[in-house]
Amino acid sequence: MAETYDYDLFTIGAGSGGVRASRVAAAHGARVAIAEEYRVGGTCVIRGCVPKKMLVYGAHFAEDLEDCANFGWEVGEKTFNWKKLRDNVLKDVDRLEGAYTNTLENHDVTVFSQRAEISGAHEITLADGQKITAKYILIATGARPQIPDVEGAEHAITSNEAFHLDELPKKIIIAGGGYIANEFAGIFNEFGSKVCIVNRGDQLLRSYDEALRERLLLISMKKGIDFKFNTKFEYIKPCEDGGFFVKLTDCDEERVDQVMFATGRTPNTGGLGLDKAGVELGEKGEIKVDRFSKTNVDHIYAVGDVTDRVQLTPVAIREGQAFADTVFGGHEPVAVDHGCIPSAVFSHPPIAAVGMTEGEAKNKLGSVKVYLSDFRPMKNVLAGRDERSLFKMVCDGDSGKIVGIHMIAPEAAEMMQAAAIAVKAGLTKADFDATTAIHPTMAEELVLMR
């Protein structure tokens, strides 16, 4: 007699990957439940990409209100109300959480708003003590901000708390050199805070092309952001009258209003009962999976940031979809192709990239041709803003196949989405050259590079 379970699938974690996997599995006819201890929507929707992009939009108005003067607009005295933006953003996050919850419930997915952990081979125990059985278990618990081992680290905030601040800091130190550090540095700077990025290494955004990194550093410094490289925190101590004393190596103690850590993210694998289940973890605590997102335990799978493959929302969604189609779709197993994934940094200005950097291409291919377009966008010219954009195309020297496109420019991410299709499809520089430009646009530089 076949073993019976309460559910065909139990998902732990209702972020982007877990929600997609649960919804699709249910659409395939599976009986599905999902547990979420915090809020449905996960990092991206609740405390990540979505509210962050809204703050980025808010920050852009600071420069737009300056630039509009040369376009004939006269604006009266400008004031910025942080609490109004903050509350409007959080209100929209509430709306999205409701929409995600409705999506699950409309697909007859049972939602448990509490923590869950694996307590047996096919058994899950909820925080209230209820025990549930499932044929398959999916772990989609994401990742959390990594907190460095620094004296007084408990006084710092992370990106999680940045969305809820009661007031803007007059002076903030942001630790880290990745996309979160650079994005929030741009946001706070545009809102009038004095910003300093502190990095223990000697470069920003290590995975991006060197030309873009250098251009962002140059523009950021011109905007008034300070940078301290090759330095670490010695301590963070609260001041009696508010704020904090911060001591960095090779620097005098200084007083700031806020310290923010943006020093990477750690997979959320603690307290899930993975050790009891025999699920194998990697060195950083990530769940090890095969190309079909299956762990070393046959009925337990994992998707998204908890696997630390590529920490991007659309990747988690694709992994969730592929898992559901593979296990419940009734056809051949589906694996996600993690190659040639486009990405963006919503800095000021933003960066976008797909494929190999020039350095990676030279190491892998040997013969490489690089094309550049270094220009001042038309809007910046009339606005009197001395800020140049840079497009870079990296091609296989023998075949002309485009293996990487990199850009730093206003709306870079919007342009990159379409360009990434061409790179993924294996098009050549000649294919781009044969395409007529749309003039006048920034995007036309993609087909005019020589």
Side-chain angles (χ1 to χ4, degrees):
M1 183 178 161
E3 200 167 350
T4 57
Y5 301 99
D6 298 326
Y7 294 97
D8 300 310
L9 171 65
F10 194 101
T11 302
I12 303 177
S16 299
V19 167
R20 174 60 66 91
S22 301
R23 177 175 70 75
V24 175
H28 284 314
R31 296 166 303 141
V32 183
I34 191 166
E36 173 55 59
E37 67 175 332
Y38 183 51
R39 296 176 72 181
V40 171
T43 294
C44 177
V45 173
I46 304 298
R47 55 192 172 273
C49 342
V50 172
K52 179 271 309 287
K53 187 71 182 288
M54 292 178 193
L55 294 186
V56 168
Y57 282 134
H60 273 299
F61 282 104
E63 292 185 356
D64 287 344
L65 287 167
E66 283 179 16
D67 294 350
C68 71
N70 281 359
F71 290 87
W73 289 91
E74 287 185 25
V75 179
E77 187 184 351
K78 300 187 289 284
T79 59
F80 173 63
N81 186 330
W82 158 250
K83 287 183 180 177
K84 187 170 187 178
L85 174 61
R86 178 200 67 185
D87 292 349
N88 285 342
V89 168
L90 294 178
K91 191 163 73 176
D92 206 55
V93 166
D94 290 343
R95 179 189 66 79
L96 288 166
E97 181 186 12
Y100 270 65
T101 303
N102 288 342
T103 295
L104 290 170
E105 291 174 345
N106 290 342
H107 283 81
D108 295 324
V109 175
T110 304
V111 180
F112 293 102
S113 300
Q114 53 184 302
R115 187 172 178 82
E117 65 175 271
I118 300 168
S119 51
H122 289 266
E123 183 186 80
I124 297 98
T125 299
L126 299 176
D128 65 6
Q130 186 179 351
K131 293 189 183 298
I132 294 168
T133 58
K135 186 174 182 182
Y136 292 97
I137 297 171
L138 176 67
I139 311 294
T141 47
R144 65 187 184 279
Q146 188 174 301
I147 308 296
D149 184 15
V150 173
E151 182 189 339
E154 68 275 10
H155 301 301
I157 63 167
T158 68
S159 55
N160 288 355
E161 294 78 38
F163 300 107
H164 300 270
L165 293 175
D166 286 330
E167 57 186 48
L168 286 171
K170 291 186 179 66
K171 188 175 183 182
I172 183 170
I173 286 179
I174 300 177
Y179 71 96
I180 296 174
N182 283 280
E183 288 172 343
F184 275 98
I187 289 166
F188 282 121
N189 182 63
E190 295 297 339
F191 290 157
S193 301
K194 180 60 187 168
V195 179
C196 177
I197 286 185
V198 170
N199 193 11
R200 64 182 181 181
D202 60 359
Q203 55 186 224
L204 303 173
L205 299 167
R206 281 196 307 267
S207 64
Y208 285 86
D209 194 89
E210 187 177 359
L212 270 59
R213 292 191 268 121
E214 288 179 355
R215 180 63 55 92
L216 179 63
L217 179 61
L218 193 70
I219 293 173
S220 297
M221 289 170 68
K222 205 165 191 176
K223 288 183 189 294
I225 299 172
D226 291 333
F227 292 85
K228 291 177 181 174
F229 293 104
N230 300 309
T231 187
K232 294 179 183 176
F233 285 81
E234 288 187 9
Y235 59 75
I236 303 165
K237 293 178 180 175
C239 308
E240 282 183 17
D241 56 346
F244 305 94
F245 290 119
V246 177
K247 177 71 174 73
L248 304 168
T249 52
D250 305 325
C251 297
D252 292 335
E253 181 185 82
E254 61 179 314
R255 188 184 177 284
V256 301
D257 299 292
Q258 201 70 255
V259 180
M260 176 175 166
F261 287 138
T263 47
R265 296 179 65 80
T266 303
N268 282 322
T269 47
L272 292 176
L274 297 177
D275 49 346
K276 293 179 213 156
V279 174
E280 195 177 335
L281 303 182
E283 286 180 12
K284 297 176 185 172
E286 75 277 14
I287 296 177
K288 295 175 80 170
V289 291
D290 66 12
R291 53 194 289 264
F292 301 108
S293 296
K294 186 163 77 169
T295 70
N296 60 306
V297 180
D298 263 359
H299 65 280
I300 300 178
Y301 288 72
V303 297
D305 290 3
V306 76
T307 66
D308 200 26
R309 286 175 282 184
V310 179
Q311 290 194 355
L312 292 171
T313 297
V315 175
I317 290 170
R318 280 180 171 251
E319 289 168 359
Q321 175 89 38
F323 155 77
D325 288 342
T326 296
V327 176
F328 300 104
H331 49 66
E332 288 296 305
V334 183
V336 174
D337 177 8
H338 288 91
C340 205
I341 294 172
S343 65
V345 181
F346 292 101
S347 45
H348 283 72
I351 281 175
V354 68
M356 289 186 267
T357 65
E358 181 181 352
E360 289 167 346
K362 284 177 176 174
N363 288 339
K364 190 170 182 180
L365 304 174
S367 174
V368 168
K369 280 188 179 173
V370 177
Y371 301 87
L372 284 175
S373 180
D374 190 336
F375 63 97
R376 199 169 161 209
M378 183 188 288
K379 184 183 173 188
N380 284 356
V381 174
L382 194 57
R385 184 171 292 279
D386 184 20
E387 194 172 294
R388 298 183 68 83
S389 295
L390 179 67
F391 287 13
K392 186 173 187 177
M393 184 179 283
V394 183
C395 302
D396 184 315
D398 298 325
S399 67
K401 180 180 170 183
I402 302 168
V403 296
I405 296 178
H406 311 273
M407 56 175 82
I408 178 169
E411 307 300 344
E414 302 291 347
M415 292 183 276
M416 183 57 73
Q417 183 65 80
I421 299 169
V423 178
K424 185 77 171 173
L427 298 191
T428 64
K429 177 71 167 66
D431 293 319
F432 270 56
D433 292 343
T435 304
T436 303
I438 301 173
H439 182 73
T441 63
M442 290 181 289
E444 69 181 308
E445 297 297 328
L446 284 166
V447 299
L448 297 176
M449 282 192 250
R450 294 286 180 264

